Amino acid sequence: MTAPSDPAGPPYPYGPDPLLPAWGSVKAWGLAVLALIGAGLGGGIGSAAGQPVNEIALLAVLPGALAVTLAFAPEPAARLGTMAKDLLCIGTAAAPLCGTGIHVAIAAVPALLAVAVLLDRLLPPGLRVPARYRGRPAGSPR
């Protein structure tokens, strides 16, 4: 008698791969540099405007540190999760430059994610599945 197969599939959202930082990813390094540039510009603008150090730390340094952390976080197994992580990282990197418009940037993340999903569906199948989804043929369903 054989054991029944696991109907749930791989553990969500990261799959069976070990959770390791993406130190070797060019995309992660690009997002981290973007986050550092955003935090540096936000901090420079805040100090030039005469903001107190605690406001600069809350509005520039902490979002920049969060964006760097998100940049090197492991890639989710689902394509939608990867897009959401990248959009959140980009939004967090841009947060120091938004000032009081940060609430608009936060509200735009779901809309940007929806547009990203629609654009992804319009691409040819060979371009939709990144190489990191190893073990799956390019046209296989999820």
Side-chain angles (χ1 to χ4, degrees):
M1 185 159 130
T2 62
S5 63
D6 183 17
Y12 185 79
Y14 291 102
D17 295 336
L19 295 178
L20 299 171
W23 299 119
S25 170
V26 174
K27 181 181 78 170
W29 280 101
L31 289 172
V33 167
L34 181 69
L36 292 174
I37 290 171
L41 287 174
I45 291 169
S47 65
Q51 287 184 336
V53 174
N54 60 345
E55 284 188 27
I56 293 172
L58 287 173
L59 296 175
V61 176
L62 291 178
L66 176 61
V68 169
T69 303
L70 285 171
F72 291 112
E75 290 292 324
R79 193 170 52 241
L80 185 63
T82 300
M83 286 188 278
K85 181 184 88 79
D86 292 344
L87 284 173
L88 185 61
C89 183
I90 291 169
T92 308
L97 303 174
C98 291
T100 58
I102 188 66
H103 59 282
V104 176
I106 291 170
V109 169
L112 288 173
L113 185 58
V115 168
V117 170
L118 289 175
L119 289 175
D120 182 61
R121 295 295 177 206
L122 297 175
L123 292 173
L127 295 176
R128 281 193 281 173
V129 181
R132 70 178 157 268
Y133 300 113
R134 56 194 172 275
R136 296 181 190 157
S140 69
R142 296 205 161 267

